Amino acid sequence: MEKRRTERLVVVGNGMVSHRFLELLAARAAKAPHPLQPSFEVTIIGEEPRLAYDRVGLSTFFDGRTPQEMTLPAAGQYEAAGFAIRLNARATAIDRQRRVVVVDAQEVAYDRLVLATGSSAFVPPIPGRDAAGCFVYRTIEDLEAIQGWSAGRPGRVGAVIGGGLLGLEAAYALSKLGMKVHVIEFAPRLMALQLDETGGAVLRRRIEDLGVEVHTATSTKEIIAGEDGRVRALRFANGDELNLDLLVFSAGIRPRDELARAAGLPVGERGGIVIDQSCRTEDAAIYAIGECASYEGRCYGLVAPGYQMARAAVSAICDAGRGQADESADSVDAVFTGFDMSTKLKLMGVDVASFGDAFGSHAGAHVVSLLDTSAALYKKLVLSPDRKHLLGGMLVGDASAYGELLQLAQNRIVLPPEPESLILPAGKGERPAGLGVTALPDAAQICSCNNVSKGEICSAIREQKLTVVGAVKSCTKAGTTCGSCVPLVTDLLKAELKKAGVAVSDHLCEHFPHNRQQLYHLVRFHKHKTFDALLAQHGRGRGCEICKPAVASILASAWNEHVLEPKHRSLQDTNDRYMANIQRDGTYSVIPRVAGGEITPAELIAIGQIAGKYGLYTKITGAQRIDMLGARLEQLPNIWRELVDAGFESGHAYGKALRTVKSCVGSTWCRFGVQDSVSLAIRIENRYKGLRAPHKLKSAVSGCARECAEAQGKDFGIIATEKGYNLYLCGNGGMKPQHARLFATDLDEATLIKYIDRFLMFYIRTADRLQRTAGWLNNLEGGLDYLRSVIVDDALGICDELEAEMAHVVDTYACEWKKALEDRETMRQFRSFVNSDAPDPSIMSVPERAQHRPATWSEKAIRVPALALAGGGS
């Protein structure tokens, strides 16, 4: 048998598209190779100092996601595939005759070369653009520079030149840094390439409701710097000036085609390396993929077409030696013939989608649209001349129907007789029969990023016996890039499970044939006060680690009894059982309540003295409280007693309950404040303290639109206005951050409190176990409009009940620490050993930065060698 030849393959660039190319190449090599398929000696040249990372999710950096968490390759992934990687290395020239790439003055030989150099940010030629404090928004290094410049400057003014996708992403980032943000757009509307005039106006209103000032049809004439060289202001063409402290250019991108140009390869009229359907350039040994490539005169700035180019290039490179007549089973027919640029985005928490012929350029096309100015919603469908097919559309404010509408357009599925029913709000018309994911053909592309069809997903579900969405994503890659297709993937999974006769159960667990909402109503209706009573009448067995804490939470929400009463004690998880958060070394953290973030000097001194006395590590939390860590179990009652004597209460940091209500200093101190945010925050926190819920609750009150308290990232947030307060609902930070939605505007305090009472109790009644308010709203049929009808219009006729239930919680509040200290039997459980009052000898600490931290097992083993066996080393 003829020996397989080895070719030197050099990949210049290590972005998302390059990474996908390398993944596909490695997967192809792992299969039984065709005898004529070459093996490859792969060298990767990366210009950035880090491996490929999630550039689509770049803005999550400002939500706390670290560069390491954004990295795409797993540790050692390239090395395991035999790939050599050179980072911080710049390719400066290509010698096509000798087939070498010059990298930092060194030559790297190739047999095949893949250019995946991506694009660069376009900086308009505006005088003064080189002033200090001017940035682009393209790489992690750019974001770190922006973050560093703004550090210690809360409340400063930042501006973004560019009102497209990237510009609004940058505006979101600046708002997260606490800046007052302006967006400057030369076009007459935001996102002019994706939205029409009406869509742009609705998006503008949504963005301005978030505190961002938008300037459209505005041309920047000059960037003015101060004597220190720092950017100071923008001067517009009409003579107006805008004072600012930071400027971000986000006015588009330009393909990085300079290597190809210098090597004599053809480039497009508007830039980009010219490629054919195999992503091959004029030079048969050189390929180009991603944003640097130009196919039929067009460059593609989205990741999905780049992924399709990566498939085409891998197919062409691996099949190059096999001949056109080869029809073996493992031959892959992947070519790039252009790409549908339909997209769904979430910009500053606002859903925006555009697909197909969104502007109705097709001759004879009809348009059906829905504009709701009160809710700031816009939905538009472009129909074929016979109104039987969907050609395209755009969605602003609510893009939940995007997946289905896109499939209707792409697969030319015949529409119902009244196509407008596809975009009518819930309750205004029944869903047309025959539509939905089951009506799609197997060839329908569900995930465009990873080219996964409906048939492939359904086959994987059946053959692999998949039962959860996460398993479907892992198996098929669908939904693992931008995530916009996950709702369709979920619907397919449910449909396949139903078809297979597998019940899609929402039961809490095997012991209760009910979901959490049903159990809550059973507790209320039958007035069950204990887990045993509920289990005896409505469940079976003895319960488990799922249903016991869930029912304990329901009972606490309904009746507000102490969680450590004997009838409830055994139901609690560790944190609730000891009313403190357990840490990795077996110690606990203690966080007293600091309502509204306001604390007196005497209280600060008390916390310092208590922490010093018990040897606790102290740290300011992100929620304006003081965390004391390292408390041993037997120390907790004494720490609580001293805190209670100093005037503190439990902060409920251990429970699924109200945690904090952050505040800025408001009109009392701040020159920008328009209301007394501190007083309102204290009132709200004291009202809802101790309220148990399906998940933790966080709130904040900002004294003006500058939003220093970050109210729009909270379960319920309040922003002061000249006329009162705006109420935002169902936001959260954490692993999956989501902006809160504007619910009501210019409320007086009494109405504000009334709406919050109703909202919280309705959430407690209807949410699933461990479901945050953001996920709850996302799954709530009818969404924010439905929630508004329940809370404001009393559409269900339950508002009096909700207010009465909240009044009971408020009236029966008692500090859990103080009440526990009064019960001798409860205090007996606060010791490490049932037969001894001795402390746990395995708990040790080591000094660090004038405080201490938990000792590692290896550090413990040095002190007590016998512990090395117990800890298993480190």
Side-chain angles (χ1 to χ4, degrees):
M1 180 179 291
E2 183 180 345
K3 185 178 179 180
R4 294 175 65 205
R5 69 185 188 281
T6 298
E7 293 189 357
R8 296 163 299 183
L9 175 62
V10 175
V11 181
V12 179
N14 189 225
M16 294 183 72
V17 173
S18 166
H19 174 68
R20 176 52 56 92
F21 172 86
L22 294 164
E23 278 191 323
L24 294 170
L25 185 68
R28 186 71 175 269
K31 296 180 180 179
H34 187 280
L36 297 180
Q37 177 179 312
S39 61
F40 296 101
E41 181 182 288
V42 179
T43 301
I44 309 161
I45 309 298
E47 189 175 64
E48 294 188 53
R50 62 187 83 247
L51 293 172
Y53 53 88
D54 179 13
R55 205 183 297 272
V56 172
L58 196 61
S59 293
T60 60
F61 175 85
F62 293 104
D63 294 316
R65 192 177 176 202
T66 66
Q68 291 73 28
E69 292 169 332
M70 297 167 71
T71 300
L72 295 177
Q77 180 179 342
Y78 290 161
E79 292 79 0
F83 301 160
I85 176 76
R86 295 176 60 177
L87 298 177
N88 245 340
R90 180 168 188 148
T92 55
I94 302 169
D95 187 330
R96 293 167 55 192
Q97 271 60 48
R98 296 173 52 229
R99 292 196 175 183
V100 296
V101 180
V102 180
V103 181
D104 295 334
Q106 295 180 338
E107 293 186 344
V108 180
Y110 69 85
D111 295 301
R112 296 189 185 277
L113 174 64
V114 176
L115 299 177
T117 48
S119 62
S120 59
F122 171 65
V123 178
I126 302 171
R129 61 188 178 277
D130 295 326
C134 294
F135 303 91
V136 295
Y137 194 85
R138 193 71 187 146
T139 67
I140 288 178
E141 283 66 41
D142 294 333
L143 271 57
E144 289 175 336
I146 291 170
Q147 187 179 57
W149 184 269
S150 65
R153 300 175 178 175
R156 297 294 183 94
V157 178
V160 178
I161 292 182
L165 164 61
L166 294 176
L168 296 179
E169 286 277 354
Y172 168 79
L174 298 189
S175 69
K176 294 292 288 186
L177 293 172
M179 306 191 94
K180 169 62 180 175
V181 184
H182 295 257
V183 173
I184 318 298
E185 170 56 46
F186 179 75
R189 62 181 181 274
L190 296 174
M191 293 191 68
L193 296 179
Q194 291 85 15
L195 300 178
D196 60 17
E197 185 176 347
T198 304
V202 172
L203 177 60
R204 175 172 183 159
R205 177 186 157 185
R206 285 264 188 170
I207 297 297
E208 289 181 333
D209 283 344
L210 298 174
V212 174
E213 191 164 336
V214 177
H215 310 256
T216 53
T218 301
S219 175
T220 303
K221 181 180 179 181
E222 182 184 1
I223 298 166
I224 304 170
E227 294 182 358
D228 57 359
R230 293 171 175 254
V231 63
R232 182 179 64 79
L234 296 180
R235 179 172 294 135
F236 301 127
N238 63 3
D240 291 345
E241 290 189 4
L242 172 65
N243 293 327
L244 48 78
D245 305 285
L246 182 150
L247 177 64
V248 175
F249 293 105
S250 192
I253 58 176
R254 295 294 183 268
R256 290 282 303 274
D257 57 12
E258 62 271 20
L259 269 178
R261 284 178 185 269
L265 291 172
V267 295
E269 184 178 341
R270 303 184 64 180
I273 308 162
V274 174
I275 59 171
D276 62 14
Q277 293 185 352
S278 296
C279 294
R280 189 183 290 109
T281 68
E282 181 184 68
D283 187 324
I286 302 178
Y287 299 77
I289 57 176
E291 293 173 333
C292 69
S294 172
Y295 178 75
E296 294 188 345
R298 182 172 188 178
C299 294
Y300 293 85
L302 297 178
V303 70
Y307 282 180
Q308 182 60 29
M309 291 181 191
R311 291 186 199 97
V314 167
S315 176
I317 291 170
C318 290
D319 294 344
R322 296 164 57 168
Q324 294 180 349
D326 178 24
E327 297 180 359
S328 56
D330 67 333
S331 181
V332 178
D333 180 21
V335 293
F336 184 79
T337 57
F339 202 84
D340 178 7
M341 294 293 282
S342 300
T343 186
K344 175 187 175 185
L345 311 160
K346 187 177 282 290
L347 301 169
M348 301 186 73
V350 181
D351 281 340
V352 178
S354 176
F355 60 95
D357 181 14
F359 290 90
S361 59
H362 189 283
H366 299 287
V367 172
V368 174
S369 63
L370 170 68
L371 173 63
D372 186 339
T373 56
S374 63
L377 291 175
Y378 177 59
K379 301 181 181 183
K380 169 184 173 181
L381 300 180
V382 179
L383 310 178
S384 61
D386 60 5
R387 292 175 56 93
K388 290 184 177 180
H389 297 97
L390 182 60
L391 302 180
M394 56 185 66
L395 307 166
V396 181
D398 175 17
S400 57
Y402 168 77
E404 183 177 325
L405 293 174
L406 177 63
Q407 293 300 325
L408 294 178
Q410 289 182 337
N411 294 284
R412 291 191 58 78
I413 294 175
V414 176
L415 300 177
E418 298 178 349
E420 60 271 16
S421 61
L422 294 168
I423 55 174
L424 287 175
K428 299 290 181 67
E430 296 182 359
R431 192 178 187 83
L435 295 180
V437 73
T438 56
L440 299 176
D442 284 348
Q445 186 187 61
I446 300 298
C447 178
S448 59
C449 291
N450 298 295
N451 194 29
V452 186
S453 69
K454 173 189 171 182
E456 290 172 313
I457 294 172
C458 292
S459 294
I461 293 169
R462 291 192 298 267
E463 294 168 8
Q464 304 294 326
K465 294 182 170 52
L466 307 178
T467 58
V468 295
V469 172
V472 178
K473 292 169 68 176
S474 297
C475 184
T476 67
K477 297 295 184 183
T480 59
T481 301
C482 76
S484 64
C485 64
V486 171
L488 286 178
V489 174
T490 303
D491 289 344
L492 280 174
L493 175 63
K494 291 180 178 178
E496 285 298 313
L497 292 178
K498 184 177 180 181
K499 192 186 303 181
V502 178
V504 183
S505 173
D506 64 350
H507 296 169
L508 188 65
C509 69
E510 63 185 271
H511 302 106
F512 285 100
H514 306 283
N515 60 30
R516 184 197 171 277
Q517 179 179 348
Q518 293 165 339
L519 286 176
Y520 183 90
H521 288 298
L522 289 171
V523 165
R524 277 283 183 186
F525 182 79
H526 294 285
K527 294 183 171 54
H528 293 306
K529 297 293 183 74
T530 67
F531 175 83
D532 291 340
L534 183 66
L535 184 68
Q537 189 165 344
H538 305 287
R540 55 181 176 268
R542 297 182 178 180
C544 63
E545 70 278 4
I546 294 176
C547 61
K548 286 183 177 180
V551 171
S553 173
I554 290 172
L555 293 172
S557 298
W559 313 122
N560 208 27
E561 295 177 338
H562 197 281
V563 294
L564 294 189
E565 285 191 13
K567 60 185 177 182
H568 303 314
R569 189 177 301 157
S570 64
L571 307 177
Q572 312 299 337
D573 62 17
T574 300
N575 288 349
D576 274 315
R577 181 172 297 181
Y578 298 116
M579 296 186 294
N581 281 328
I582 192 167
Q583 304 301 310
R584 63 185 303 166
D585 64 339
T587 62
Y588 293 82
S589 68
V590 178
I591 303 181
R593 186 168 300 285
V594 180
E598 182 180 76
I599 189 167
T600 66
E603 289 170 332
L604 283 171
I605 291 170
I607 287 178
Q609 290 175 335
I610 294 168
K613 178 177 179 179
Y614 293 97
L616 307 179
Y617 170 87
T618 54
K619 188 178 186 301
I620 303 297
T621 74
Q624 299 180 338
R625 305 201 286 189
I626 300 176
D627 196 352
M628 297 181 283
L629 297 102
R632 299 194 307 272
L633 183 61
E634 71 276 3
Q635 292 178 321
L636 290 175
N638 292 331
I639 294 171
W640 296 341
R641 185 173 285 108
E642 295 193 31
L643 285 170
V644 169
D645 289 345
F648 289 102
E649 296 178 315
S650 164
H652 287 92
Y654 48 83
K656 299 295 185 273
L658 178 78
R659 297 288 178 86
T660 63
V661 182
K662 287 179 65 174
S663 72
C664 62
V665 295
S667 60
T668 307
W669 292 91
C670 179
R671 68 186 188 278
F672 299 110
V674 294
Q675 301 288 352
D676 184 357
S677 55
V678 178
S679 295
L680 180 60
I682 293 172
R683 178 186 175 188
I684 289 174
E685 186 159 348
N686 284 330
R687 180 172 182 80
Y688 302 122
K689 61 186 179 184
L691 176 67
R692 296 280 174 156
H695 212 298
K696 62 186 175 186
L697 294 167
K698 295 185 178 182
S699 181
V701 181
S702 284
C704 72
R706 300 170 79 87
E707 244 286 71
C708 293
E710 301 170 329
Q712 293 170 81
K714 301 295 185 284
D715 296 281
F716 58 104
I718 299 142
I719 300 178
T721 69
E722 295 285 354
K723 300 178 181 178
Y725 298 94
N726 288 349
L727 175 60
Y728 292 79
L729 296 181
C730 301
N732 66 250
M735 186 180 300
K736 296 181 178 179
Q738 178 171 313
H739 261 282
R741 304 280 297 277
L742 180 62
F743 181 79
T745 59
D746 296 329
L747 302 175
D748 58 71
E749 280 197 27
T751 305
L752 176 71
I753 298 296
K754 178 173 66 176
Y755 285 174
I756 297 173
D757 281 358
R758 295 174 178 180
F759 160 70
L760 290 174
M761 294 313 301
F762 187 58
Y763 160 65
I764 288 170
R765 277 191 176 195
T766 58
D768 290 335
R769 166 182 168 270
L770 300 180
Q771 185 178 44
R772 292 292 299 269
T773 57
W776 170 70
L777 179 62
N778 293 342
N779 293 335
L780 193 65
E781 188 173 350
L784 191 68
D785 291 338
Y786 172 71
L787 182 61
R788 195 177 282 115
S789 72
V790 173
I791 302 305
V792 178
D793 302 330
D794 197 12
L796 300 180
I798 60 171
C799 285
D800 288 345
E801 295 176 20
L802 299 176
E803 291 176 23
E805 290 169 7
M806 180 60 77
H808 171 77
V809 172
V810 173
D811 293 343
T812 56
Y813 168 78
C815 172
E816 291 182 345
W817 288 347
K818 184 177 182 180
K819 194 167 183 180
L821 290 168
E822 296 168 353
D823 184 71
R824 182 176 300 177
E825 186 63 29
T826 297
M827 290 295 97
R828 288 169 59 87
Q829 73 180 36
F830 288 91
R831 55 185 184 180
S832 298
F833 306 101
V834 295
N835 58 352
S836 171
D837 291 330
D840 184 347
S842 70
I843 295 175
M844 301 179 186
S845 61
V846 295
E848 186 171 85
R849 295 189 299 276
Q851 296 201 71
H852 64 82
R853 61 164 173 80
T856 64
W857 278 107
S858 58
E859 290 167 336
K860 293 178 182 180
I862 294 173
R863 299 187 194 178
V864 186
L867 287 176
L869 293 176
S874 65

